Amino acid sequence: QITLKESGPTLVKPTQTLTLTCTFSGFSLSTSGVGVGWIRQPPGKALEWLALIYWNDDKRYSPSLKSRLTITKDTSKNQVVLTMTNMDPVDTATYYCAHVYVDTAMAYFDYWGQGTLVTVSS
Amino acid sequence: SSELTQDPAVSVALGQTVRITCQGDSLRSYYASWYQQKPGQAPVLVIYGKNNRPSGIPDRFSGSSSGNTASLTITGAQAEDEADYYCNSRDSSGNPHWVFGGGTKLTVL
């Protein structure tokens, strides 16, 4: 059974760098067609896709946040790490990681972590 | 354009059928996936691909697509279907990436 769990600080100061870790089980990030993505949701607002890393280490970023994001994977530890630089209060949100399956015909986030609320405040 | 547009809110009478739509250029090339989110919970995948339901999703949920519009249909809506619904797809414009719609709040009357 696939599970994912986000971990990291609950409070960061403006201008600081946020580092979030997604620890997963039940699948391997070296399996073709598999990836892990990060999605966030400000309080009361919509989901926003941030970044995704594929089994082959291909990485994709939100165009609007690309300059601030870095996603990496450690296949041996079953972890994916997202860093976001220069945090601002508008980045206050619940951050989710999710398992993604991709093929030529379709792609979807089929398993999600519980999410972690990150507040940006001085 | 790399946006997906959804109606902010839709309502349906208990037991009736409701369609939630999602529009965007990327949907001409990629299937949408649909997610249900209830307050305080993580999103749950309800439809993916042409019209596929994950295990455990009731068969009253179905998906379809035409041109730049994807639709999620709930046939015989139940009280427990009241939730926010989001569409999502890949987008190949510019640097390939992913995008979510703005969400639709479904109220079951």
Side-chain angles (χ1 to χ4, degrees):
Chain A
Q1 127 226 21
I2 291 175
T3 64
L4 305 98
K5 187 172 184 179
E6 308 86 353
S7 60
T10 58
L11 179 66
V12 297
K13 291 180 167 49
T15 75
Q16 287 186 336
T17 294
L18 171 68
T19 299
L20 293 173
T21 301
C22 177
T23 303
F24 57 85
S25 63
F27 67 96
S28 171
L29 200 37
S30 58
T31 300
S32 178
V34 169
V36 171
W38 285 94
I39 301 100
R40 72 178 179 180
Q41 185 172 39
K45 296 189 177 181
L47 300 172
E48 179 184 17
W49 175 77
L50 300 177
L52 194 147
I53 189 164
Y54 293 100
W55 77 97
N56 58 3
D57 210 38
D58 187 17
K59 301 166 187 176
R60 302 293 171 185
Y61 297 101
S62 166
S64 62
L65 294 167
K66 184 175 182 178
S67 63
R68 300 173 54 204
L69 296 173
T70 303
I71 190 169
T72 60
K73 64 180 175 73
D74 186 330
T75 305
S76 65
K77 292 183 178 179
N78 282 353
Q79 291 182 331
V80 170
V81 175
L82 179 76
T83 60
M84 180 180 290
T85 61
N86 194 24
M87 293 292 286
D88 183 272
V90 300
D91 296 313
T92 294
T94 296
Y95 287 75
Y96 296 100
C97 64
H99 171 277
V100 62
Y101 175 76
V102 177
D103 68 19
T104 54
M106 55 189 174
Y108 47 89
F109 297 95
D110 50 356
Y111 296 91
W112 294 64
Q114 64 190 24
T116 185
L117 176 62
V118 178
T119 301
V120 184
S121 174
S122 56
Chain B
S1 170
S2 60
E3 294 182 353
L4 295 178
T5 301
Q6 298 182 241
D7 291 329
V10 171
S11 61
V12 61
L14 185 67
Q16 296 304 300
T17 296
V18 62
R19 177 178 292 180
I20 298 170
T21 60
C22 174
Q23 289 188 304
D25 289 342
S26 62
L27 300 178
R28 297 184 185 278
S29 304
Y30 299 108
Y31 288 118
S33 52
W34 290 93
Y35 304 84
Q36 176 192 70
Q37 188 182 33
K38 297 181 179 179
Q41 298 182 17
V44 173
L45 176 69
V46 294
I47 290 289
Y48 65 94
K50 189 173 184 180
N51 181 18
N52 301 291
R53 284 175 289 106
S55 174
I57 301 301
D59 61 5
R60 63 179 178 271
F61 289 87
S62 63
S64 61
S65 184
S66 178
N68 73 335
T69 302
S71 300
L72 172 70
T73 300
I74 307 174
T75 304
Q78 302 298 303
E80 60 264 33
D81 300 333
E82 185 162 296
D84 294 325
Y85 290 86
Y86 295 92
C87 60
N88 169 256
S89 82
R90 285 177 287 184
D91 192 306
S92 58
S93 62
N95 213 5
H97 57 281
W98 296 63
V99 62
F100 280 92
T104 297
K105 168 65 179 175
L106 176 66
T107 300
V108 180
L109 304 171

